[in-house]
Amino acid sequence: MSAFNAIGDEREIDREEYTPGVEPQPTWCPGCGDFGVLKSLKQALPEVGRTPEETLVCTGIGCSGKLNSYLDTYGFHTIHGRSLPVARAAKLANDGLEVIAAGGDGDGYGIGGNHFIHTARENHDMTYIVFNNEIFGLTKGQTSPTSPKGHKSKTQPGGTAKTPIRPLSMSLTSGATYIARTAAVNPNQAKEIIAEAIEHDGFAHVDFLTQCPTWNKDARQYVPYIDVQESDDYDFDVTDRGEAAQMMHETEDVLNEGTVLTGRYYVDDESPSYQQEKKDLGRVPQEPLAERYFDDDAEWERSYDLLERHT
Amino acid sequence: MSDDELIWRIAGGSGDGIDSTSQNFAKALMRAGLHVFTHRHYPSRIRGGHTYVEIRASADEVQSRGDGYNFLLALGDSFARNPQEEAYYGNEEIKPLSENLDELREGGIIVYDEGLVSEEDVADLNLEERAEENDWHVFPMDLRGLAKEHGREVMRNTAGVGVTAALLDMDLEHIEDLMSDAMGGDVLESNLEILHEAYEIVNEEYEFEHDLRAPTGEHETEQALLSGSNAIAYGSIDEGCRFIAGYPMTPWTDVFTILSQNFPDMGGIAEQVEDEIAAAALAVGASHAGAKAMSGSSGGGFALMSEPLGLAEMTETPIVLLESMRAGPSTGMPTKPEQGDLEFVLYTSQGDSSRVVFAPATIEECYEQTRLAFHIAYEYQIPAIIIYDQKLSGENTNVPVEFFDREPNPDLGSTLTEEELKEAAHDASGKFHRFAYEHESGAENGVSPRSLPGQKGGRYLATGNEHSPVGHISEDPDNRVYQMSRRIQKLDHIREELDEEHDSNQTYFGDESADFGIITWGSSQGAVAEAVDRLNENGHSVKAVGVSDMMPFPETEMVEFLESVDEAMVVEMNATAQFRGLIQKELGRYGEKMTSLLKYNGNPFEPAEVVESAEINLNGGEEEPSAQVHIEPAAGD
């Protein structure tokens, strides 16, 4: 018998279950793209049949980190840049959980960049949503890793000399097996992509364009947007690493010129997830580790039985 | 100092197999019925550079390295760099012989490999003259040649062990057994041949005039030879820990390696990750989801753990962290012990700290206190840290096998089941009061029981922000004061439990009525314990306490100790008297009673250094110690 009965609970789920009674109304600014992420999650989670109590959402710090407060699941609002290591360990300890990590572009591509690269490389079975607004919002509008070259802010008064990070390309090079970009202004696509990302058995990275109407007024609101799958102008195979790389490169190049390309960029359904790989190698238990602590019949190994090598 | 003891030092270059040879020899001595204690000295280098391991063996219990040593097996450094004038490293090849002469006792034995060490280099050492002065017995032997003749050059260690056994009149039986366990086929055959050949050459061709022989003893029960790292790893296994995440760093790597090798066969998970921020964050994540989890590092890596450590405090996530100290600051001296990270471990991370810190002193304490750390962490939902050092991490000593014959305890502490969650407080929208006010949870020790993700009816938010009972971010002053006080007060409740329900983690030595006290902590305890015996034998009246509880501080015990003496000397391996500072901070007095004995040259204390400095203090504190130690006067002096 499981000690975690929310996991695998098959029932109809109302999306309002995800709205917390404690704090139903977000504090994000009117017009903020973060609403789009929240909405797409509330739509996608019931659609793919995940209940609030089998879902763990781990966030970083920033406006995006408040997602936990407005989405009523199990939540872990961690620290700046560190949502991924917390999230992937929770998944390792109990892989019945649906684990979603989320944070801003500074959080994921800046201070947490190392964790991003390595979590993607390991292909953990989880979803990572990056709220990309090309700016540090909560700290009042400083230049971020995705801000365009020349971006002026109080901390970059002369305009930044740095070229922005290429989130999709970095993700591909690192080893993510589902990579997509969507935008808050494109709710239908966003919901579908989030649902696909959750269902994907591996590291699914969604670069979510979330406009900041307060601190990034100069930036476009990511309209008009183009869905690369629907447009006739683009034709590439999302399962082909080379073609995906080229498409990503172009998408990143044209964003700051006003062309907002979105859609699925890379999908690899073949590679096993890290958990699966380790299970196959016998390096992770078949049954979730967390269950074992509740199993009264479990036999726990003792160090006493290891002493022969020391005598 | 026991007259009937062997302190055997095997010296060579890194990569010469010094460590494994000494392990086996120590085990052979243990099997022969002796108590053993090893001390490892090595550079941060893969190949070459002077390294030695010392094995102290005696019929009586040994708890420290000794003063100097009495048998040198100098193999020469086979990976030595070419000697060049002006180069600061000088002639490396001869170092295993030359570097070790100052500490060799009178009447000691020297065996060196003349197959590797050149005659001219030996001549430069004035070895003959010094041997004459000190009554040393010198045995040059072509160990390399002998090894080459019967097998391969690298087997010269075996030849050295054969020579040692012959000179000490030891039986070869245990050595042979251990070799047979470790190898097979031609390799075993060659090694055995070399062992016997060396043994016979010595017996047939050399004349003995030395008095030193291997002591004889007997164990009442079967013994195991373990390091502090083994004991910490085994304590965590027995406490049901099955998740470890880490990044390699000397000397913490030892525990990480042991558990990485054992966990997969025990249904556990070991993760080597990108950095130490991730390592500690993984431990937090795994614990949050319901595993007993740990991580650790040495000073530099632990610095990166400050963030997740604070997160664990704020979210009340139980974790155990290890900090295996080495000489700092910064990269410092990577392979040398020091006790310089105490203040760092107690306070690192922003805000008021709420954590438990234990500093075990012996192999047994490493095991017991690791178990205790898990118990406290999971019961009180607080990070618990084991602070130890390069010395304790790698030194091996014998422990009765039956010491480990105990029941495992995989209990998750104050974690609720789904059944229990039904009875717990929730708010109107169904969120569980994970951080409940005491009148709701009924807990009187500041602990609010937790749920785990995936449990029905346990939904809540964990956050590094200050938060309300369901975990929502809150800056309400009343809630803040309540939550903050509750978290901090857990330490008082833990102190109470430690005082009332467990044997003290502090160890007392010497004459209870003494007026002169020695206070020490962690791995310096062994040398102090032996020094106290000697001081009392020398006619002084001295007692000592080895402290393990760094946080929460054992106030009652320490007040009692300090009140009972006129003067106390605090012994620790650092330059700024950190533990003495902690005592003054915690107790707010006794500054004028406490002097410090400090050592920070990279080598652990020898008992004689503690004896000398205690005697200087007992004689009014005017003299200068002869060793490379520093006596820091009491406040106001």
Side-chain angles (χ1 to χ4, degrees):
Chain A
M1 213 190 80
S2 172
F4 301 91
N5 283 300
I7 293 171
D9 191 10
E10 304 273 341
R11 60 178 177 82
E12 280 292 305
I13 310 153
D14 185 331
R15 79 171 64 150
E16 277 317 297
E17 284 184 44
Y18 292 92
T19 306
V22 200
E23 203 168 357
Q25 214 173 353
T27 55
W28 292 316
C29 308
C32 174
D34 294 2
F35 286 101
V37 184
L38 177 64
K39 191 175 167 200
S40 59
L41 274 166
K42 281 186 180 179
Q43 288 174 327
L45 279 165
E47 194 177 294
V48 297
R50 302 295 193 278
T51 64
E53 292 195 330
E54 67 183 322
T55 305
L56 174 65
V57 178
C58 297
T59 57
I61 297 297
C63 292
S64 58
K66 296 191 175 171
L67 175 71
N68 279 130
S69 299
Y70 316 133
L71 186 74
D72 201 356
T73 61
Y74 274 100
F76 203 144
H77 181 218
T78 69
I79 33 183
H80 199 37
R82 317 298 171 213
S83 65
L84 288 172
V86 172
R88 72 194 208 224
K91 182 74 179 178
L92 282 166
N94 190 350
D95 67 356
L97 294 170
E98 186 58 58
V99 175
I100 298 168
D105 52 88
D107 194 290
Y109 306 144
I111 193 167
N114 198 21
H115 308 309
F116 174 65
I117 290 169
H118 286 269
T119 312
R121 164 168 91 102
E122 292 172 8
N123 195 28
H124 287 266
D125 181 12
M126 54 187 280
T127 303
Y128 184 39
I129 304 170
V130 179
F131 293 54
N132 183 0
N133 59 4
E134 302 177 80
I135 201 140
F136 282 104
L138 193 58
T139 47
K140 304 197 170 175
Q142 298 81 4
T143 305
S144 87
T146 49
S147 299
K149 192 168 183 176
H151 179 265
K152 282 189 182 180
S153 67
K154 283 184 184 164
T155 53
Q156 295 280 351
T160 177
K162 301 175 191 182
T163 47
I165 283 271
R166 294 177 174 275
L168 306 172
S169 301
M170 182 164 74
S171 188
L172 183 72
T173 315
S174 304
T177 48
Y178 179 95
I179 304 165
R181 168 174 275 177
T182 186
V185 286
N186 191 355
N188 289 332
Q189 185 207 48
K191 181 207 74 177
E192 282 168 21
I193 281 179
I194 296 292
E196 285 168 25
I198 292 170
E199 299 255 74
H200 178 74
D201 295 327
F203 188 70
H205 166 221
V206 180
D207 185 71
F208 206 125
L209 297 171
T210 51
Q211 72 280 0
C212 179
T214 305
W215 297 109
N216 205 2
K217 286 196 180 89
D218 296 342
R220 292 149 298 279
Q221 300 298 294
Y222 305 120
V223 275
Y225 52 82
I226 296 162
D227 185 321
V228 292
Q229 264 81 36
E230 300 201 340
S231 162
D232 294 336
D233 299 340
Y234 305 94
D235 182 28
F236 72 104
D237 178 1
V238 292
T239 65
D240 185 297
R241 185 171 274 274
E243 290 184 26
Q246 211 168 356
M247 192 64 231
M248 288 173 178
H249 213 268
E250 185 179 342
T251 298
E252 289 153 351
D253 278 344
V254 300
L255 179 66
N256 301 132
E257 293 160 12
T259 307
V260 182
L261 301 183
T262 62
R264 293 90 174 151
Y265 284 82
Y266 185 63
V267 182
D268 166 9
D269 285 327
E270 307 294 317
S271 303
S273 71
Y274 185 66
Q275 284 80 359
Q276 194 54 52
E277 196 110 45
K278 283 198 91 164
K279 271 187 189 177
D280 294 346
L281 290 169
R283 314 292 293 177
V284 158
Q286 295 297 325
E287 292 303 313
L289 173 57
E291 291 275 14
R292 191 177 179 195
Y293 293 94
F294 294 89
D295 178 1
D296 294 336
D297 299 326
E299 284 196 22
W300 289 85
E301 301 80 1
R302 298 196 304 155
S303 67
Y304 184 64
D305 299 320
L306 301 173
L307 289 183
E308 208 180 315
R309 65 184 77 153
H310 298 288
T311 57
Chain B
M1 176 167 34
S2 154
D3 293 332
D4 187 25
E5 69 175 1
L6 167 68
I7 304 182
W8 183 75
R9 189 181 279 192
I10 178 173
S14 282
D16 279 335
I18 303 298
D19 208 34
S20 55
T21 306
S22 65
Q23 272 272 346
N24 277 335
F25 192 60
K27 227 185 228 184
L29 292 164
M30 178 185 81
R31 285 190 184 178
L34 298 173
H35 291 275
V36 293
F37 190 98
T38 72
H39 163 61
R40 201 162 57 139
H41 175 101
Y42 61 109
S44 179
R45 185 167 152 188
I46 297 173
R47 292 275 182 247
H50 171 231
T51 172
Y52 71 76
V53 175
E54 209 172 76
I55 302 171
R56 188 181 190 192
S58 160
D60 303 321
E61 261 185 65
V62 278
Q63 39 194 343
S64 164
R65 65 185 295 206
D67 304 323
Y69 68 103
N70 53 18
F71 192 120
L72 174 65
L73 172 59
L75 291 172
D77 182 347
S78 57
F79 299 99
R81 289 176 280 190
N82 292 326
Q84 287 177 13
E85 244 176 279
E86 311 260 316
Y88 82 92
Y89 47 81
N91 181 353
E92 289 186 328
E93 202 164 65
I94 191 76
K95 279 189 177 178
L97 179 59
S98 60
E99 293 280 296
N100 290 308
L101 294 177
D102 289 348
E103 291 157 3
L104 183 63
R105 291 187 199 162
E106 259 180 47
I109 296 175
I110 298 173
V111 176
Y112 70 87
D113 187 355
E114 57 179 357
L116 200 79
V117 178
S118 81
E119 256 174 71
E120 299 115 62
D121 288 343
V122 177
D124 288 347
L125 293 177
N126 293 329
L127 190 59
E128 252 176 71
E129 200 179 308
R130 292 183 71 177
E132 187 86 17
E133 269 170 37
N134 293 294
D135 186 27
W136 291 337
H137 304 267
V138 186
F139 298 91
M141 270 199 77
D142 184 5
L143 302 173
R144 181 156 82 162
L146 185 68
K148 215 169 167 180
E149 196 183 318
H150 296 272
R152 290 188 293 125
E153 266 183 43
V154 289
M155 297 173 182
R156 65 189 210 284
N157 296 13
T158 303
V161 170
V163 172
T164 301
L167 289 172
L168 292 174
D169 200 12
M170 277 173 71
D171 203 60
L172 289 180
E173 179 198 347
H174 298 297
I175 299 167
E176 289 167 347
D177 285 353
L178 283 157
M179 280 186 169
S180 310
D181 290 349
M183 41 191 135
D186 292 348
V187 177
L188 174 63
E189 203 121 307
S190 304
N191 271 291
L192 287 175
E193 254 174 57
I194 293 166
L195 181 74
H196 287 275
E197 181 77 13
Y199 192 79
E200 273 150 36
I201 291 175
V202 173
N203 276 323
E204 285 165 17
E205 297 178 15
Y206 286 75
E207 283 190 24
F208 297 4
E209 286 170 14
H210 59 272
D211 299 326
L212 184 67
R213 294 291 181 275
T216 51
E218 204 179 334
H219 290 300
E220 281 172 19
T221 61
E222 195 187 10
Q223 303 287 307
L225 185 69
L226 294 101
S227 67
S229 296
N230 289 128
I232 288 170
Y234 293 171
S236 62
I237 286 171
D238 288 350
E239 212 51 30
C241 172
R242 289 294 182 276
F243 189 99
I244 188 165
Y247 185 91
M249 183 167 186
T250 305
W252 121 272
T253 309
D254 287 356
V255 173
F256 186 38
T257 307
I258 296 165
L259 289 176
S260 297
Q261 286 169 352
N262 282 294
F263 271 174
D265 298 331
M266 300 180 162
I269 299 169
E271 283 289 295
Q272 185 182 324
V273 298
E274 60 269 28
D275 57 35
E276 287 89 350
I277 308 176
L282 260 89
V284 169
S287 173
H288 180 75
K292 283 182 118 168
M294 75 192 296
S295 182
S297 193
S298 294
F302 198 86
L304 296 189
M305 296 186 170
S306 295
E307 282 183 34
L309 171 59
L311 179 68
E313 291 180 329
M314 190 55 152
T315 56
E316 299 179 74
T317 308
I319 48 165
V320 172
L321 297 178
L322 308 180
E323 215 271 51
S324 185
M325 294 177 284
R326 61 192 218 184
S330 190
T331 310
M333 297 195 283
T335 59
K336 300 290 179 284
E338 197 167 273
Q339 297 179 298
D341 295 349
L342 177 62
E343 288 173 343
F344 164 60
V345 165
L346 287 172
Y347 309 119
T348 185
S349 201
Q350 63 272 33
D352 295 300
S353 64
S354 58
R355 68 196 62 166
V356 173
V357 182
F358 293 138
T362 63
I363 309 298
E364 289 92 335
E365 286 183 20
C366 282
Y367 176 85
E368 310 250 23
Q369 290 174 20
T370 301
R371 291 200 68 162
L372 189 58
F374 273 99
H375 161 72
I376 299 280
Y378 279 78
E379 203 56 56
Y380 292 88
Q381 305 173 1
I382 195 168
I385 301 167
I386 301 288
I387 183 171
Y388 62 116
D389 56 50
Q390 184 271 349
K391 167 174 144 59
L392 191 49
S393 171
E395 65 196 11
N396 284 276
T397 191
N398 57 295
V399 179
V401 165
E402 63 192 18
F403 173 83
F404 293 94
D405 187 6
R406 311 190 191 199
E407 284 308 305
N409 172 36
D411 189 59
L412 275 184
S414 53
T415 307
L416 299 177
T417 61
E418 288 185 337
E419 212 45 48
E420 290 163 336
L421 271 168
K422 287 179 189 160
E423 308 298 317
H426 289 73
D427 73 359
S429 69
K431 277 207 155 169
F432 165 52
H433 282 204
R434 160 71 179 90
F435 308 100
Y437 297 144
E438 257 169 30
H439 63 266
E440 294 175 337
S441 70
E444 283 168 11
N445 57 5
V447 178
S448 178
R450 63 178 187 147
S451 62
L452 302 173
Q455 284 182 321
K456 269 196 173 168
R459 211 162 74 251
Y460 75 98
L461 175 60
T463 170
N465 287 61
E466 188 55 272
H467 43 267
S468 72
V470 295
H472 271 246
I473 297 169
S474 166
E475 293 181 356
D476 173 73
D478 293 343
N479 177 72
R480 160 68 175 182
V481 170
Y482 177 79
Q483 298 286 10
M484 194 67 202
S485 313
R486 184 177 59 73
R487 288 190 297 265
I488 295 295
Q489 279 165 14
K490 287 195 285 192
L491 282 169
D492 296 336
H493 297 292
I494 293 167
R495 186 68 258 162
E496 221 173 277
E497 180 183 325
L498 290 173
D499 286 339
E500 288 167 16
E501 294 173 36
H502 301 271
D503 293 337
S504 169
N505 288 327
Q506 284 51 258
T507 318
Y508 296 87
F509 305 92
D511 174 7
E512 229 175 279
S513 63
D515 297 330
F516 186 84
I518 301 179
I519 299 171
T520 190
W521 66 282
S523 74
S524 296
Q525 181 180 301
V528 167
E530 190 167 327
V532 168
D533 283 348
R534 287 194 218 164
L535 285 160
N536 287 328
E537 279 164 26
N538 292 356
H540 302 289
S541 176
V542 174
K543 64 177 171 182
V545 58
V547 185
S548 284
D549 296 349
M550 301 288 110
M551 180 98 88
F553 193 77
E555 190 180 326
T556 315
E557 284 180 78
M558 291 310 288
V559 166
E560 202 175 311
F561 186 88
L562 279 158
E563 284 293 334
S564 74
V565 293
D566 295 334
E567 200 183 325
M569 181 173 82
V570 187
V571 179
E572 51 188 320
M573 277 189 287
N574 60 53
T576 55
Q578 296 186 21
F579 186 57
R580 186 176 83 172
L582 178 67
I583 300 172
Q584 283 181 256
K585 173 181 179 288
E586 290 288 336
L587 303 181
R589 54 196 191 282
Y590 304 118
E592 73 298 341
K593 249 189 197 184
M594 292 187 288
T595 56
S596 277
L597 171 59
L598 305 171
K599 188 175 183 186
Y600 49 95
N601 69 355
N603 295 309
F605 281 106
E606 292 182 10
E609 294 167 348
V610 181
V611 170
E612 184 191 41
S613 294
E615 286 183 332
I616 289 173
N617 276 316
L618 284 160
N619 295 334
E622 298 301 320
E623 299 147 69
E624 282 294 317
S626 62
Q628 204 168 37
V629 296
H630 174 68
I631 297 179
E632 179 82 21
D637 276 9

